[in-house]
Amino acid sequence: MPRARKRPAGVVRPDKKGPEGKRTKTENPGDTSAKVENSSFQETSASKDCGKNLSSYWLMKSEPESRLEKGVDVKFSIEDLKAQPKQTACWDGVRNYQARNFLRAMKLEEEAFFYHSNCREPGIVGLMKIVKEAYPDHTQFEKNNPHYDPSSKEDNPKWSMVDVQFVRMMKRFIPLAELKTHHQAHRATGGPLQNMALFTRQRLSVQPLSREEFDFILSLEEKEPS
């Protein structure tokens, strides 16, 4: 199984455009560690579904631009996923309890949007699917790995990962700015993106989507950018 070096961190700062897009763990006021436990997830349509084991759709963030963390390049783009054997890689490095729990809730063949985060133009670039359900994240035990957690024990590991496989590129790139425009409009009209976790829980790198959210985003592929 390929173990690509990548960093889909459990907690990330809200995306914003510009050359300052790269992130370090300590950039966020009040977010001093990627291991922050945050269990106060705002209940949205997607989180309700997930609680009932009904959420079968996901959005997963990863950084497409090179950035060294403890001497390791944590870059992992959709192009990197495509380049892996069988276009498959483990989604390691998640160090937020809620994001971890979402990984543990994933089932085989469920679909996820691959989201480029903390870059000049963040947004949804492609689709992937879950090809191996949650199992212990090996990086928590590797002392030279940026995601090493000395408090995690092999007989009782804290952190999990899944394996994902590339499905396809989006027919067109769906930028964060476009999604935000729809989210703001839907808050007023009651549309499908009104409670999207990308805007209600920006720092989570693994997020559930309702079927309505997933279908609406797919429909944007066929439309001119707004």
Side-chain angles (χ1 to χ4, degrees):
M1 180 198 68
R3 296 182 183 274
R5 293 291 181 186
K6 66 182 186 314
R7 169 76 174 75
V11 178
V12 297
R13 69 172 173 79
D15 286 311
K16 52 186 177 182
K17 293 183 179 180
E20 73 280 14
K22 289 187 178 181
R23 180 190 57 79
T24 62
K25 289 182 182 178
T26 57
E27 284 181 3
N28 301 318
D31 179 25
T32 57
S33 170
K35 299 176 184 178
V36 173
E37 181 172 5
N38 188 339
S39 59
S40 59
F41 185 75
Q42 178 175 334
E43 192 170 88
T44 66
S45 58
S47 62
K48 290 177 183 177
D49 284 348
C50 189
K52 298 176 183 177
N53 295 321
L54 297 177
S55 183
S56 300
Y57 305 95
W58 308 92
L59 182 146
M60 301 168 74
K61 298 180 181 181
S62 190
E63 298 181 26
E65 297 178 356
S66 289
R67 181 175 64 80
L68 293 180
E69 190 172 325
K70 296 184 180 178
V72 175
D73 191 349
V74 296
K75 166 185 177 292
F76 192 78
S77 68
I78 196 167
E79 289 78 15
D80 294 318
L81 177 59
K82 288 174 65 177
Q84 297 301 311
K86 298 183 180 180
Q87 299 184 316
T88 300
C90 58
W91 201 265
D92 58 46
V94 171
R95 296 296 182 268
N96 171 274
Y97 287 104
Q98 188 160 50
R100 178 207 65 184
N101 291 343
F102 286 140
L103 289 175
R104 291 179 176 180
M106 293 176 179
K107 303 299 180 185
L108 289 177
E109 302 299 316
E110 290 183 346
E111 294 180 288
F113 287 122
F114 196 122
Y115 182 96
H116 279 175
S117 181
N118 302 313
C119 53
R120 189 170 295 274
E121 189 170 24
I124 295 172
V125 291
L127 278 168
M128 54 190 179
K129 65 180 179 180
I130 310 306
V131 294
K132 184 174 181 178
E133 294 178 8
Y135 63 105
D137 179 347
H138 61 100
T139 64
Q140 65 194 302
F141 306 121
E142 299 174 355
K143 291 185 178 181
N144 294 327
N145 192 284
H147 310 123
Y148 173 62
D149 183 355
S151 69
S152 186
K153 308 303 179 185
E154 292 199 28
D155 60 352
N156 187 26
K158 285 185 179 181
W159 308 110
S160 301
M161 62 185 181
V162 298
D163 286 359
V164 299
Q165 185 176 51
F166 174 81
V167 173
R168 67 174 176 86
M169 300 296 292
M170 300 296 284
K171 294 178 183 177
R172 70 174 181 86
F173 174 67
I174 311 295
L176 172 65
E178 182 178 348
L179 293 168
K180 185 174 183 179
T181 296
H182 290 295
H183 165 68
Q184 291 173 336
H186 291 180
R187 288 180 63 190
T189 63
L193 299 193
Q194 61 178 322
N195 293 319
M196 189 178 181
L198 184 62
F199 304 103
T200 61
R201 291 297 295 170
Q202 298 99 316
R203 288 176 172 154
L204 279 178
S205 73
V206 179
Q207 303 174 356
L209 294 171
S210 68
R211 176 64 183 266
E212 292 75 17
E213 290 168 341
F214 184 83
D215 287 346
F216 179 83
I217 293 169
L218 278 184
S219 75
L220 297 177
E221 289 185 302
E222 310 295 340
K223 300 175 182 178
E224 292 294 324
S226 57

